[in-house]
Amino acid sequence: MGICRDMAGTQQGLRRKGGNRAALFVYAMEGLENMAFVANAVSLVTYFFGFMNFSLTKSATTLTNFMGTAFLLSLVGGFISDTCLSRFKTCVIFASMELLGYGLLTAQAHFQQLRPISCKNGAASQMSHCDAATDGQVAILYTGLYLIALGTGGVKAALPALGADQFDEKDPKEAPQMSSFFNWFLFSLTIGAIVGVTFIVWVSTNQGWAWSFTICTIAVLFAIIFICMGRSLYRNNAPKGSSPLVRIIQVLVVALRNRKVQIPENAEELHEIHEKERVDNHEIIKRTNQFRFLDRAAVVTINDGPWNLCTVTQVEETKILIRMLPIILSTIFMNTCLAQLQTFSIQQADTMDTNLHGFKVPGPSIPVIPLLFMFVLIPLYDRIFVPLTRRFTGIPTGITHLQRIGIGLVLSAISMAVAGFVETRRKSVAIQHNMVDSTEALPMSVFWIGFQYGIFGAADMFTIIGLLEFFYAESSAGMKSLSTAIAWCSVAFGYFTSTVVVEVVNKVSGGWLASNNLNRDNLNYFYWLLAVMSVLNFVFYLVCASWYKYKAVEDKHRDSKDNALEMVNA
């Protein structure tokens, strides 16, 4: 009876922690950290070109490499979080690295001797005579940039998983709350991005980069303070100690070594951890029939040890990752389309009328349009769409993760098609007013671009968070952060493949985008090509999604707790 009371007390203690109160601190950190990151993502190319005296090409390449690397480095944060540090500690340590990076950029922007004399105010013909940044000045810049990339990568991997840990997906009451967490996580990310691309971009344009970087530094400092304030409320999942990548490699090695061993007909004969050997929060994943050759890693032989025998759960961890790879691959192209909206659509905006009731909208602030759409759509999705569809489907999230991702992919294809029609109209306006070679703004409002941005904002709302939620829910307990990081890698590869797609299309088409004059280029054809390719990509995704098998967990440990609670209540 005493044991039952202890177990009931433990259960009540867990319920006092976590939940929406703990998630509030996660939202605060994400909003502040993303405010700084996004503000620089849309405007750093101006700093490279105007203040570090980089060429236009080098400025664009430096920014693209920085963005892609930041999302790729989330794998490092995910690996560390799952292996040796808790998610909370990972967030604090990596955010501190990011803080140091912004501090370096602030110092460089403030002290003239740390950067070259700016050629920003010189004539275009004099740009080639500007003094290049010294090796030391470039080293300071790159050190600051990649400390930020490493820091934000670690935060992006660990923070969503830390927030989701505050809700038990197996609890009928908390499962819908976990789905809402991902929606409101995106909402906080969106609010931070809106402030970043408006206020901080305005500061960098009108008050100087030293002030802009200072605000970013203070924002990340407060992000660290907020996440630490909630420490006593968090449900912390301790790292498993063993690397998830090592466990996967062990399965592959043992399966290859046992390639001639026959798989027993009775799945109970495969090696698995016994009930008495299980530790707290350990889950047992049920065996699936896909990739049966990997089951050989769990066949009991005369040899023992992690490099000779694996558990069924360990084998299923590997199968889950293999099943996830086609899903992540089929979402990369959507992020390739996103990269075009952050480059070509900005260039379109530069040729259009950017006046809004007497206020001239800065070019880097144009991405605020999809963010505003997301700001409105996310609460409607969480409070209206999800409860409504939940009544019909019985699914806590309203629709499945894969259905949510699929809707986003469809919307991204529609966005590219709309972008093609808007560009066709923009070119027709240039021709009608005899402004094909003019550098003056066309008599066409920049908010025409809002159509493609708005649709893509909705696509982002469905796909990005659908991916994060899908990878978190489907990964094993020891791979939550790493799987979240893999979801972010879709964005990274989207940035990296964008350049390749543009170059290949430009070469094959004979120069759709080669004249450096959008009024003479065929950007509309390029957008329509992306729309067709997005449809083909969606077909590929449908095949992958229909083939995917959701994981099933044997939760005997929870059953024993529930039985104990029933005895206490009796």
Side-chain angles (χ1 to χ4, degrees):
M1 191 70 173
I3 296 176
C4 295
R5 288 197 184 96
D6 290 341
M7 294 183 73
T10 300
Q11 187 78 352
Q12 291 172 356
L14 286 172
R15 286 174 180 169
R16 282 196 294 269
K17 289 192 173 186
N20 288 317
R21 285 192 308 161
L24 288 175
F25 298 97
V26 174
Y27 300 146
M29 183 179 197
E30 177 58 23
L32 289 167
E33 190 274 336
N34 199 59
M35 179 181 75
F37 179 73
V38 171
N40 289 288
V42 299
S43 60
L44 264 178
V45 67
T46 307
Y47 179 72
F48 298 150
F49 179 69
F51 291 86
M52 294 304 295
N53 296 345
F54 286 5
S55 67
L56 276 174
T57 302
K58 185 176 181 181
S59 298
T61 303
T62 302
L63 179 60
T64 303
N65 290 342
F66 165 71
M67 293 291 293
T69 303
F71 286 104
L72 270 184
L73 286 175
S74 62
L75 291 172
V76 176
F79 176 83
I80 291 175
S81 179
D82 285 335
T83 305
C84 51
L85 294 176
S86 67
R87 310 203 215 287
F88 167 75
K89 290 180 180 178
T90 301
C91 288
V92 172
I93 291 173
F94 278 84
S96 299
M97 295 180 189
E98 189 176 0
L99 179 67
L100 180 58
Y102 282 117
L104 280 175
L105 293 186
T106 302
Q108 186 173 48
H110 181 74
F111 297 106
Q112 179 60 60
Q113 57 267 38
L114 298 181
R115 55 184 172 83
I117 297 175
S118 173
C119 295
K120 179 182 178 183
N121 297 323
S125 60
Q126 296 175 338
M127 291 299 290
S128 60
H129 302 293
C130 292
D131 293 331
T134 65
D135 291 342
Q137 292 167 342
V138 172
I140 293 174
L141 175 67
Y142 284 158
T143 301
L145 280 179
Y146 286 97
L147 276 173
I148 293 172
L150 180 60
T152 193
V155 171
K156 288 184 186 304
L159 189 61
L162 173 64
D165 286 345
Q166 309 314 310
F167 306 95
D168 188 350
E169 60 186 331
K170 301 181 184 68
D171 188 322
K173 293 182 179 179
E174 294 192 11
Q177 293 178 345
M178 190 176 80
S179 176
S180 286
F181 160 75
F182 282 101
N183 293 326
W184 293 111
F185 181 84
L186 177 62
F187 188 72
S188 62
L189 180 153
T190 301
I191 292 177
I194 289 174
V195 176
V197 300
T198 53
F199 174 67
I200 297 182
V201 167
W202 180 87
V203 170
S204 65
T205 303
N206 296 279
Q207 303 300 319
W209 282 95
W211 280 106
S212 173
F213 287 138
T214 299
I215 293 173
C216 292
T217 305
I218 295 172
V220 175
L221 175 62
F222 274 94
I224 297 172
I225 293 174
F226 275 116
I227 201 68
C228 291
M229 286 172 60
R231 184 176 185 179
S232 62
L233 297 175
Y234 299 141
R235 296 174 183 171
N236 282 307
N237 282 344
K240 301 302 177 184
S242 61
S243 165
L245 295 179
V246 171
R247 294 198 300 270
I248 290 170
I249 294 173
Q250 286 173 344
V251 171
L252 298 176
V253 170
V254 177
L256 182 62
R257 184 178 295 163
N258 294 348
R259 60 187 179 277
K260 297 182 180 179
V261 176
Q262 186 175 359
I263 300 174
E265 294 294 331
N266 185 3
E268 297 294 328
E269 297 180 21
L270 296 174
H271 178 58
E272 186 54 276
I273 295 176
H274 297 294
E275 179 68 21
K276 64 180 181 180
E277 299 174 304
R278 294 178 65 179
V279 295
D280 193 31
N281 290 329
H282 181 89
E283 65 178 8
I284 291 181
I285 305 177
K286 294 181 180 179
R287 176 180 173 272
T288 59
N289 289 322
Q290 288 181 321
F291 309 113
R292 282 176 53 85
F293 63 92
L294 292 176
D295 291 341
R296 290 184 171 85
V299 176
V300 179
T301 60
I302 58 174
N303 297 317
D304 201 356
W307 293 96
N308 293 294
L309 181 62
C310 302
T311 64
V312 171
T313 294
Q314 193 175 342
V315 171
E316 289 303 317
E317 278 184 339
T318 307
K319 291 182 180 181
I320 288 172
L321 185 61
I322 295 174
R323 285 196 293 263
M324 284 178 169
L325 288 179
I327 301 296
I328 198 72
L329 289 175
S330 60
T331 61
I332 289 175
F333 193 77
M334 174 185 166
N335 290 296
T336 301
C337 296
L338 172 63
Q340 312 316 314
L341 293 183
Q342 293 178 339
T343 52
F344 288 118
S345 291
I346 299 297
Q347 292 176 349
Q348 285 177 286
D350 288 338
T351 69
M352 302 169 76
D353 182 9
T354 59
N355 288 310
L356 178 63
H357 300 297
F359 176 76
K360 188 173 183 179
V361 181
S365 293
I366 297 300
V368 76
I369 298 174
L371 294 173
L372 291 174
F373 272 92
M374 293 170 68
F375 179 81
V376 175
L377 289 174
I378 293 171
L380 294 176
Y381 178 86
D382 187 77
R383 295 304 180 189
I384 298 177
F385 179 80
V386 172
L388 186 63
T389 54
R390 188 187 296 148
R391 293 180 182 178
F392 296 98
T393 64
I395 302 172
T397 55
I399 55 177
T400 66
H401 309 315
L402 293 178
Q403 287 171 342
R404 181 170 182 171
I405 296 170
I407 292 173
L409 294 180
V410 171
L411 289 174
S412 70
I414 296 174
S415 174
M416 290 297 100
V418 170
F421 287 112
V422 171
E423 173 59 10
T424 300
R425 173 172 171 77
R426 192 198 63 81
K427 287 181 64 178
S428 68
V429 170
I431 294 171
Q432 289 171 9
H433 291 81
N434 197 26
M435 299 178 67
V436 173
D437 295 313
S438 174
T439 57
E440 295 182 9
L442 298 175
M444 177 178 176
S445 174
V446 71
F447 292 100
W448 274 87
I449 298 178
F451 290 108
Q452 64 213 50
Y453 269 133
I455 297 171
F456 204 94
D460 231 11
M461 180 191 72
F462 279 96
T463 299
I464 296 299
I465 293 304
L467 270 178
L468 288 174
E469 192 172 357
F470 168 71
F471 274 78
Y472 180 87
E474 284 300 292
S475 61
S476 63
M479 293 180 63
K480 298 292 187 185
S481 295
L482 185 62
S483 294
T484 302
I486 292 174
W488 286 118
C489 284
S490 172
V491 181
F493 287 118
Y495 278 107
F496 288 137
T497 57
S498 171
T499 303
V500 177
V501 169
V502 171
E503 290 180 355
V504 170
V505 169
N506 213 18
K507 188 173 182 179
V508 173
S509 66
W512 280 358
L513 309 167
S515 71
N516 289 326
N517 182 350
L518 287 183
N519 296 332
R520 293 192 177 277
D521 282 338
N522 292 297
L523 180 59
N524 50 342
Y525 294 165
F526 179 62
Y527 278 141
W528 285 329
L529 176 63
L530 292 180
V532 172
M533 294 175 68
S534 295
V535 172
L536 296 176
N537 179 71
F538 176 67
V539 173
F540 172 67
Y541 171 80
L542 285 180
V543 174
C544 298
S546 60
W547 169 77
Y548 187 86
K549 302 295 182 185
Y550 284 92
K551 77 170 184 179
V553 177
E554 297 178 10
D555 199 14
K556 297 178 182 178
H557 193 59
R558 175 172 291 277
D559 291 342
S560 64
K561 281 187 176 182
D562 291 342
N563 291 337
L565 286 172
E566 289 177 4
M567 293 174 65
V568 171
N569 293 331

